[in-house]
Amino acid sequence: MLFSDRVDAGRRLAEALRHVRGESPVVLGLPRGGVPVAFEVARALRAPLDVIVVRKLGVPYHRELGYGAIGEGGVRVISDDIVRRSGVGRDELETVERAEETELARQAKRFRADRPRTPIGGRTVIVVDDGIATGATAAAACEVVRAQGAARVVLAVPVAPPDGVAWLRTKADEVVCLSTPRAFRAVGEWYQDFSQTSDEEVVALLAQAAAWADEDRATDGTGDQPGATGATGGETAVEVDAGGVRLAGDLTLPRGTEEIVMFAHGSGSSRHSPRNRLVAAALNQAGLGTLLFDLLTPAEEADRANVFDIETLAGRLADATRWLRERESAQIGYFGASTGAAAALQAAASFGAAAATGAGGDTDMDIAAVVSRGGRPDLAGPHLADVRAPTLLIVGSRDTMVLDLNRKAQARLRCENRLEVVPGATHLFEEPGALEQVAILARDWFTSHLAASRSMR
């Protein structure tokens, strides 16, 4: 079984866990890669989500070889066999453990911020990871939640070696694993996209889940749950009509919002992009609605040339905007990444020109703001001069070629605009804190300009 990415794995895993829903479980994700998987499980099961922090202990001269793990509450799981065969001395092992204990404490504080740990005493707890290699980390997590008073422990993973699953059945009350290939070498081999999950993504997903819980309490027992539609403003799967083409999307509307940001994904990306979802979560926390949808159908995505067909992408985005405006009365902004940024600017230009001339019936469709992340605004070409929406261009300082293209494109803009350069960041903003800075910049730009646009209506 091959998974597209962690979102796909989480959704498939959730289906296999439906039988646990009646036990009102708590879902705990193992950071970092396990949290995006756990997020999808928690949403599908309408369960609270938290993080369970454990740290793998690696042999000093071969850190990828784990000899055990430690977890919150002082739990240690050690493979005596690996320690013996490694020949590493006690002093070296203690040095490793002290370093990992420090990092464990840092991560727990970083991920939860000021939120308390979710109570699990007497509850069924589902421990989720994106896959199992040695199983030491998963075993430690099971030990941790038992020590914290869990009544039943379910370990859930998309993929693991058969012998690992057999061993872990002795550590958990139930193990749910979708695939146990005999030719198992590494977890990443069973994902098409196994890109690294950042701390910022984990923080954003946990914050979004915490917002679900806050909104549930605000409904005072009306039964609304994470992921449900209605007053809680959870994410809703939608089918976007883009000029007769049906496109899959996810619409999130915080209670009372009057502003929605539409995401135009770039080359090789989709609505499941963890980077765009991190930004979307920050916007949701600020009270802005978001629509993440695919500009191309699965069949169209198979042809790489389509992701550079800006004319088609911009047309799809414009059609989707009309669909959204018919559904929701709100100010609309665009967030574009890579080639999606060019599509966003070209679509915004088309609405701006129509609003200025009163042509095409789009006089009330002007886009309120545009943000580009690592974008290719230059691909919008002659349309740049027609953009009226305030535009923020965000580029990493080490993404030198794209930075140069953005500077040239900025010179052609006639609207309010700004170029923000994130120090030390490369094209995907994978460096610590870089994507979080993008989210803050986008949040501030949209909250300022969408609110200003609404006041002028």
Side-chain angles (χ1 to χ4, degrees):
M1 182 180 292
L2 186 65
F3 305 100
S4 299
D5 52 22
R6 291 181 178 89
V7 173
D8 174 45
R11 291 178 177 177
R12 294 203 220 177
L13 193 58
E15 288 297 320
L17 289 162
R18 291 287 180 183
H19 65 285
V20 187
R21 181 171 176 177
E23 301 177 33
S24 298
V26 174
V27 178
L28 302 181
L30 277 159
R32 295 187 293 266
V35 175
V37 182
F39 181 86
E40 298 300 329
V41 171
R43 179 165 56 182
L45 300 185
R46 300 184 177 183
L49 173 69
D50 199 356
V51 67
I52 177 71
V53 185
V54 297
R55 294 290 300 175
K56 184 174 75 173
L57 301 174
V59 173
Y61 59 81
H62 185 17
R63 288 302 177 94
E64 291 303 310
L65 175 60
Y67 69 86
I70 58 173
E72 293 176 283
V75 174
R76 297 170 72 251
V77 178
I78 304 296
S79 170
D80 293 330
D81 181 55
I82 294 178
V83 170
R84 184 172 57 256
R85 287 190 287 115
S86 71
V88 178
R90 180 178 297 276
D91 289 345
E92 291 176 286
L93 297 179
E94 288 180 352
T95 298
V96 170
E97 291 187 34
R98 282 196 300 271
E100 295 300 340
E101 285 170 355
T102 299
E103 181 61 15
L104 185 147
R106 185 199 70 81
Q107 283 191 332
K109 182 177 181 180
R110 162 81 164 137
F111 295 145
R112 289 201 186 94
D114 296 326
R115 295 186 300 274
R117 184 185 303 167
T118 299
I120 62 174
R123 303 283 295 273
T124 293
V125 175
I126 304 174
V127 177
V128 179
D129 204 356
D130 56 6
I132 287 173
T134 66
T137 303
C142 292
E143 294 287 347
V144 167
V145 298
R146 284 197 191 283
Q148 293 173 352
R152 195 164 92 87
V153 180
V154 179
L155 177 63
V157 294
V159 62
D163 56 346
V165 171
W167 175 58
L168 287 165
R169 292 192 195 283
T170 68
K171 306 297 181 181
D173 298 299
E174 181 182 357
V175 176
V176 175
C177 181
L178 301 181
S179 180
T180 55
R182 293 187 179 278
F184 184 96
R185 290 184 299 179
V187 173
E189 291 183 341
W190 303 96
Y191 285 81
Q192 291 177 329
D193 178 2
F194 198 63
S195 53
Q196 184 177 357
T197 301
S198 67
D199 281 3
E200 290 77 18
E201 182 180 352
V202 172
V203 171
L205 291 174
L206 292 175
Q208 187 170 346
W212 290 342
D214 291 342
E215 290 178 341
D216 285 344
R217 285 190 289 271
T219 62
D220 194 26
T222 59
D224 287 320
Q225 296 287 343
T229 60
T232 62
E235 183 177 280
T236 304
V238 294
E239 194 173 67
V240 178
D241 182 357
V245 179
R246 300 288 179 175
L247 303 171
D250 296 315
L251 178 64
T252 301
L253 297 176
R255 184 182 292 104
T257 188
E258 296 184 17
E259 298 98 11
I260 302 174
V261 177
M262 301 177 70
F263 280 68
H265 306 292
S267 54
S269 188
S270 74
R271 70 187 188 282
H272 299 313
S273 162
R275 287 172 288 277
N276 282 349
R277 282 191 170 270
L278 185 149
V279 175
L283 300 183
N284 296 153
Q285 286 290 299
L288 302 176
T290 53
L291 174 61
L292 294 95
F293 71 107
D294 299 331
L295 288 171
L296 298 171
T297 66
E300 290 170 335
E301 289 174 352
D303 184 351
R304 177 72 176 171
N306 287 330
V307 302
F308 290 95
D309 185 353
I310 306 304
E311 196 73 28
T312 296
L313 299 179
R316 293 274 176 88
L317 180 57
D319 288 336
T321 304
R322 297 184 183 96
W323 171 88
L324 181 60
R325 181 59 62 82
E326 290 177 359
R327 178 187 174 111
E328 304 289 341
S329 177
Q331 291 296 296
I332 293 176
Y334 289 158
F335 182 94
S338 192
T339 55
L345 287 164
Q346 185 165 327
S350 69
F351 287 126
T357 63
D362 286 330
T363 55
D364 193 35
M365 292 287 289
D366 211 356
I367 301 306
V370 176
V371 173
S372 163
R373 171 183 65 79
R376 290 292 308 277
D378 56 295
L379 296 178
H383 301 281
L384 290 170
D386 295 326
V387 177
R388 302 202 319 173
T391 298
L392 174 65
L393 307 173
I394 307 174
V395 189
S397 67
R398 293 167 60 193
D399 192 9
T400 53
M401 183 186 75
V402 172
L403 178 56
D404 182 57
L405 292 172
N406 271 256
R407 284 175 172 148
K408 291 177 180 177
Q410 184 187 21
R412 303 177 68 180
L413 291 170
R414 297 293 178 265
C415 57
E416 176 190 348
N417 65 82
R418 192 168 83 226
L419 173 63
E420 285 282 357
V421 180
V422 178
T426 51
H427 186 61
L428 295 180
F429 298 89
E430 296 177 305
E431 295 72 23
L435 197 57
E436 189 175 52
Q437 188 170 346
V438 170
I440 293 171
L441 289 168
R443 179 201 65 195
D444 292 348
W445 190 262
F446 282 126
T447 53
S448 172
H449 290 87
L450 268 64
S453 179
R454 184 180 70 249
S455 67
M456 295 172 62
R457 292 181 65 181

